[in-house]
Amino acid sequence: MQIKPDIDKIKNNITEIESIGKKLGEGGFKIVYETSIKGEAEALKIVYIPDDPMDPTVKEENISRLKREIKLLQKCKTPFLVKLGTLHPVETKIDDEEYIVYSEEILAGDSMREKIKNGYKPTITELAKLGICALEVISELWNEEEAVHRDIKPDNIMVSGNENRPYVMLDLGVAFIVGGTPLTRDPRSAPGTLYYLAPEMLLPGFRESMDYRADLYTLALTIYEYAVGKNPFMRRGDPEYTTLHRINSYTPEPLETIRTDLPKEFCEVINQLLKKKPALRPNLRKVKKLMEKYQ
Amino acid sequence: MKLYSQCGFGDGEKTYNGMADGTIQGAIFSPKDILPNKLETKLGNYKKQYPNNDFFIDPQFYVNLHAAEPEAKLGKLTEWPCFSGYRRSQLEEDRVIENVLRKYIDMQCKMDVKAIIAPNIHISRSFDSIEASIAKKFIKQTAPVYDKYGDKRKVYASLVISREALLQQSEFELFLNDITSYMDPPDGIYLIVSSRSSIARTDIYNADVIANWMILNYAFNVNGLEIINGYSDIISPLLGIVGGNAGATGWWSNLRMFSMQRFLPTGSGGRLPIVRYLSRLLLNRIMFTEKDSFSTIVPKILNGLLRDKDYNPEPQRADEVLQSWETIAEINKKVYTSDIKQSLKLFEDVLDEAENAYIQIKARLAIDTKSNDEHIKPMREAIKIFKQRAEL
């Protein structure tokens, strides 16, 4: 996080917060701590709101974007998306910097990133269950709000070990809403995580045509990485433009050649979902049917 | 890939005989050429004799925008209760599109067809047009409107596009991107590619046209949609390789290649064309007189199939289509495998063989324009373009 707030001051400013514990995660504009509110353990999210003295609309836009994210979380009913906690968004000023603070439920288990780091090899049933959970989120976001998550990746998925909610997706921070305002001022630049950008997001004017199939692509990429332990577009030390070129032109090695134990039909659909053109990716209905077959 | 009879005027016993031969597995009927009650009886008879075959009705709604033209050749279309003329501006309203869909679905639900084919208009110039935007609405609304009927049969949306539209790559890709994004898509697509006239062979035998026709089949198949290709004739095997479920062709040139001219006034009646023989080796129809002379140079231009006997010495016009169906069915068998890349390679081998045969024939004989080899290069090029566009 660029400008970290003083935690004690946050606690003093927001009376509902009983205690702030260990850090759970951190991003460019966001930091997450374990917290206790009304005796319950929750995840406290502190989001920095950047301001531009030359352009007062920047701050307003940043606030409205965060509110949109929170509104999306409030609206989505699927259990496979993280739920909001008891602390509703509060705007607070610490050392002349503005933050919005709110809470989300705290999820047991490990992040998928941790599992990958530890060399975990998921079974076909686990991969299919991951598919089912994520598809429900993708489908609800698109059907209810015409929204695209845009940042599906192992870091944003919790593997809970809970049969009712085996995989829970986090972070709608860069979600795209059709007709919404862009996250960056540069119309050509695409927010998200470099290695997990859908190829269509690299096209100028992608906001005109992007849809839920960008999430199907990143879901397939996440399943691929979870299955083989490696993101196929990632090479240590590569400059950004090389990675972007690879995302646009490189076809990952077919999944079945690395995970020979997985059903060919399953691997073929994952391979096909990784096509660069959205029209060449299987639709949600077809992918769901396949995942249900193997879950 | 299945092959269907693309029915039109003067069916007689042709479709029956094709089904008896086992070379076609169904038929697509043309309301322009048959009255509703007659079709109902016909469908009943067909189903009795061939219960496992597939029968469909092409709604031919794409003609309705031309209904007001004084000399429009509408045939029996006006006798169908669902028929009425429309202006394009009327179809810009969702409510009108819904009504049209309902009328045509109502009509087909009462018939013994395998699946319902929803109506649509013809995209005559570009995917970046009002026509294309109306066509998208028809496709998008097909499944939601049909779902209300509770009919268990499948529903196909129609997609009728001109070769001109297929030649504009970026607009084509955007259109394809849109129509494959629908969350409630139809079960399949009845796909027609139109040429400027049904004798303009080079209109369809164009590398980009064939490649994008293949891409449509591939993309719909990947998306879990079934595809019936109307008027696909000899292109059918290529479309089957990349995911098409069926192709269709008929006995007149305007049933082998689609053109809106079939419904519009023409200058003169013209004379009946010469009966031709479809050579599996050449992937082309040659005059029956050429068959004998060519075969003295390359004996393999003769298919060696059952219907060859009808051409000794001179074929009956009614037998020509039976020979065509038989040949296309054989090409399908020869090139189709479950692996796209392997099948495309097999088709490229077929093109190599055709090219070699033409070289030998051309060295010794003059070839009629329609019988020549101008189809080979675009087909070969189309495969190359397709592979690249399909990211294979």
Side-chain angles (χ1 to χ4, degrees), chain B residues 110-122:
Chain B
K110 290 172 197 148
M111 299 271 192
D112 198 357
V113 287
K114 166 103 186 281
I116 311 302
I117 296 181
N120 207 336
I121 63 165
H122 175 229

Side-chain angles (χ1 to χ4, degrees), chain B residues 184-380:
Chain B
D184 187 10
D187 299 297
I189 300 283
Y190 173 53
L191 177 60
I192 297 176
V193 174
S194 73
S195 60
R196 283 167 292 191
S197 95
S198 53
I199 51 167
R201 195 160 151 249
T202 49
D203 259 22
I204 294 299
Y205 285 98
N206 170 294
D208 281 296
V209 171
I210 299 174
N212 280 347
W213 197 347
M214 290 166 78
I215 282 286
L216 283 165
N217 276 262
Y218 179 70
F220 290 140
N221 177 261
V222 160
N223 277 280
L225 274 64
E226 294 174 3
I227 311 107
I228 298 174
N229 293 283
Y231 305 82
S232 50
D233 197 44
I234 309 170
I235 312 277
S236 303
L238 261 181
L239 305 174
I241 287 172
V242 299
N245 299 76
T249 191
W251 40 94
W252 306 119
S253 59
N254 65 14
L255 300 175
R256 292 181 196 137
M257 201 187 289
F258 181 82
S259 166
M260 286 300 289
Q261 273 195 349
R262 182 176 166 203
F263 304 93
L264 298 170
T266 46
S268 63
R271 59 183 169 81
L272 282 174
I274 296 163
V275 175
R276 287 177 171 264
Y277 175 85
L278 178 56
S279 166
R280 182 172 49 172
L281 177 65
L282 300 178
L283 291 172
N284 199 9
R285 290 186 176 84
I286 54 176
M287 291 189 289
F288 76 92
T289 46
E290 286 175 316
K291 172 182 79 80
D292 298 328
S293 53
F294 289 4
S295 65
T296 59
I297 303 165
V298 183
K300 277 174 76 180
I301 68 128
L302 299 177
N303 298 338
L305 299 171
L306 288 173
R307 283 286 165 189
D308 278 10
K309 70 176 179 351
D310 300 331
Y311 281 68
N312 283 326
E314 201 175 316
Q316 297 293 309
R317 186 165 298 281
D319 295 332
E320 186 189 31
V321 71
L322 300 174
Q323 194 272 332
S324 279
W325 286 330
E326 182 186 52
T327 311
I328 295 170
E330 277 300 306
I331 300 169
N332 273 335
K333 276 190 220 160
K334 190 173 176 181
V335 296
Y336 184 79
T337 71
S338 57
D339 182 283
I340 290 186
K341 285 185 195 169
Q342 195 186 336
S343 301
L344 289 172
K345 172 74 181 71
L346 287 174
F347 201 92
E348 283 172 322
D349 293 344
V350 167
L351 290 172
D352 288 342
E353 286 169 19
E355 201 165 38
N356 288 335
Y358 269 112
I359 290 170
Q360 292 178 57
I361 297 163
K362 279 200 289 189
R364 300 200 24 210
L365 290 172
I367 303 178
D368 169 68
T369 326
K370 282 187 186 170
S371 312
N372 70 16
D373 61 354
E374 63 185 19
H375 56 294
I376 294 180
K377 200 177 159 198
M379 279 178 149
R380 195 190 297 284

Side-chain angles (χ1 to χ4, degrees), chain A residues 43-265:
Chain A
L44 186 72
K45 295 189 93 171
I46 304 167
V47 185
Y48 171 59
I49 306 295
D51 197 4
D52 181 350
M54 306 297 287
D55 184 355
T57 61
V58 169
K59 188 177 150 192
E60 281 167 35
E61 273 185 27
N62 283 320
I63 293 173
S64 70
R65 199 174 304 123
L66 185 63
K67 283 185 177 164
R68 221 164 46 198
E69 178 192 346
I70 292 164
K71 206 170 141 196
L72 262 182
L73 281 176
Q74 274 169 339
K75 279 191 175 179
C76 284
K77 302 286 174 247
T78 169
F80 308 122
L81 188 63
V82 67
K83 301 281 162 218
L84 286 170
T86 45
L87 179 65
H88 296 299
V90 182
E91 285 181 47
T92 187
K93 207 168 191 173
I94 310 281
D95 300 328
D96 288 334
E97 299 293 348
E98 301 231 19
Y99 298 88
I100 290 187
V101 181
Y102 65 101
S103 70
E104 284 178 357
E105 65 174 326
I106 206 156
L107 291 159
D110 301 315
S111 92
M112 187 173 284
R113 173 64 64 214
E114 283 302 312
K115 303 277 274 184
I116 292 172
K117 271 187 194 164
N118 294 334
Y120 185 74
K121 284 275 174 279
T123 62
I124 176 63
T125 313
E126 288 174 296
L127 293 171
K129 272 188 184 158
L130 163 62
I132 295 281
C133 298
L135 286 174
E136 190 172 313
V137 175
I138 294 169
S139 166
E140 189 169 340
L141 284 173
W142 184 254
N143 284 330
E144 302 303 321
E145 295 299 318
E146 285 199 305
V148 182
H149 185 291
R150 252 201 319 196
D151 205 18
I152 298 174
K153 56 182 180 181
D155 313 73
N156 281 341
I157 295 174
M158 287 297 290
V159 186
S160 72
N162 172 352
E163 239 179 67
N164 297 323
R165 299 174 78 193
Y167 300 92
V168 180
M169 213 180 280
L170 317 171
D171 202 350
L172 287 171
V174 293
F176 168 84
I177 300 176
V178 174
T181 52
L183 283 180
T184 59
R185 307 231 125 201
D186 179 357
R188 293 159 301 172
S189 109
T193 311
L194 176 66
Y195 298 110
Y196 299 89
L197 287 176
E200 60 266 39
M201 282 177 63
L202 307 179
L203 298 171
F206 69 90
R207 291 177 182 87
E208 272 300 300
S209 57
M210 191 177 64
D211 57 44
Y212 67 93
R213 288 173 295 182
D215 281 347
L216 292 185
Y217 170 88
T218 45
L219 168 62
L221 190 54
T222 302
I223 290 177
Y224 188 103
E225 184 174 353
Y226 195 29
V228 308
K230 194 177 150 198
N231 179 312
F233 302 111
M234 196 182 282
R235 302 277 188 284
R236 197 182 292 272
D238 265 358
E240 186 176 317
Y241 66 82
T242 309
T243 305
L244 292 174
H245 175 73
R246 197 175 289 123
I247 290 168
N248 244 340
S249 57
Y250 168 74
T251 304
E253 200 176 332
L255 181 55
E256 64 274 21
T257 60
I258 311 174
R259 282 290 304 264
T260 49
D261 58 314
L262 297 176
K264 193 165 181 272
E265 179 191 31

